[in-house]
Amino acid sequence: MACTAVFATLAATSTPHRLLIGKKSIKERPALRGGCRTMPSTRPSKTRGPSPCFAQHGLFYSTSTGKTEEVADLIQEAMGTAAPQDIADVDVSSLASFDGLIVGAPTWNTGADTERSGTSWDDVLGSISGLDLKGKPVAVFGLGDSIGYGEYFCDAMEELYSTFKATGAKMVGHWPADDYQHEDSKALLGDGHFCGLALDQDNEDDKTEERIEAWVAQLKNEGF
Ligand SMILES: Cc1cc2nc3c(=O)[nH]c(=O)nc-3n(C[C@H](O)[C@H](O)[C@H](O)COP(=O)(O)O)c2cc1C
């Protein structure tokens, strides 16, 4: 027993073992991956050296079955900036520290006026509405099923849109609604556009990458 205890103590304090634990913990803590995720650096860029992050943009999503997370990864690749974070893991007061935000949600709560996403956004939109995001560019994307739920396509996207708009944010990324199969959506602005990028991984996933590429190009012309 005594020998086992001594060995365990040595193993826990030896340098290689600590390094292994260190590497593992970084992998397991997404907030430590990617240079500019939740804690934007306040150091001047001259002292930071080359960085893929020209501005501190946050990318936040929620998901039930993983599709919105997959799409958030594609948006991150196209933007070349911050890696996405599940809004459930975020202190929402930190959103005010970013230069701009991209936020995305699926719709699950079919036909509902509130809590349309049915995901973590429902828990935090109230707190977000109390933030001051005046003048910050914010773009919304949403996932839905334009055939199975064609009358309610991406309804939750509008709930995010109005919440962030109420904070004084500069809402960007409106997207033409003509190339879709939906019948109706609360996310329609009335001028032939959705309030953000609508995506349908259930029926039109072949169009997703092309849509993201064009939307990201649009965002870069609109303040991102
Ligand atoms: C029970 C149920 C309800 C849904 N309600 C809607 C809806 O009202 N509007 C819509 O556009 N999509 C609706 N969907 C489709 C999901 O939003 C879509 O599959 C989405 O990609 C899921 O994203 P997630 O994997 O990130 O959760 C619904 C799907 C299910 C199974």
Side-chain angles (χ1 to χ4, degrees):
M1 284 295 286
C3 268
T4 310
V6 169
F7 178 76
T9 307
L10 284 172
T13 54
S14 69
T15 303
H17 194 67
R18 275 211 308 270
L19 282 176
L20 186 62
I21 290 171
K23 278 182 189 168
K24 192 176 176 194
S25 72
I26 286 174
K27 273 190 186 165
E28 287 174 352
R29 290 163 60 194
L32 299 178
R33 291 200 314 257
C36 53
R37 299 188 69 186
T38 53
M39 296 291 287
S41 170
T42 52
R43 281 182 293 158
S45 56
K46 262 198 268 181
T47 64
R48 262 188 274 143
S51 164
C53 310
F54 301 108
Q56 303 289 351
H57 293 140
L59 177 49
F60 300 97
Y61 67 91
S62 65
T63 187
S64 279
T65 57
K67 291 174 188 164
T68 310
E69 182 176 13
E70 287 167 20
V71 161
D73 285 339
L74 294 174
I75 292 173
Q76 187 265 326
E77 274 172 39
M79 285 294 290
T81 56
Q85 275 195 282
D86 190 324
I87 194 65
D89 301 334
V90 172
D91 172 358
V92 293
S93 63
S94 72
L95 298 184
S97 67
F98 289 90
D99 297 322
L101 299 170
I102 300 175
V103 293
T107 299
W108 283 88
N109 203 358
T110 310
D113 284 332
T114 59
E115 302 186 345
R116 294 177 203 162
S117 172
T119 65
S120 313
W121 284 112
D122 298 345
D123 303 327
V124 297
L125 286 181
S127 305
I128 289 171
S129 65
L131 298 177
D132 178 3
L133 302 178
K134 197 163 182 222
K136 286 184 198 284
V138 174
V140 185
F141 68 98
L143 268 74
D145 175 346
S146 62
I147 296 176
Y149 299 90
E151 289 179 38
Y152 309 96
F153 181 48
C154 290
D155 276 5
M157 188 160 63
E158 191 277 333
E159 204 175 5
L160 267 63
Y161 181 85
S162 6
T163 301
F164 280 94
K165 192 173 182 191
T167 68
K170 177 188 165 200
M171 301 309 294
V172 299
H174 301 174
W175 185 250
D178 44 10
D179 183 31
Y180 292 85
Q181 308 180 63
H182 64 284
E183 289 170 42
D184 204 358
S185 171
K186 291 185 175 70
L188 288 168
L189 290 174
D191 63 352
H193 286 72
F194 289 115
C195 61
L197 178 65
L199 296 168
D200 182 347
Q201 292 300 89
D202 296 339
N203 308 290
E204 301 177 347
D205 62 340
D206 54 321
K207 295 186 175 181
T208 294
E209 288 198 30
E210 194 183 326
R211 284 171 172 162
I212 287 174
E213 203 175 306
W215 189 63
V216 163
Q218 179 183 320
L219 295 188
K220 288 184 175 175
N221 285 328
E222 291 181 328
F224 274 87

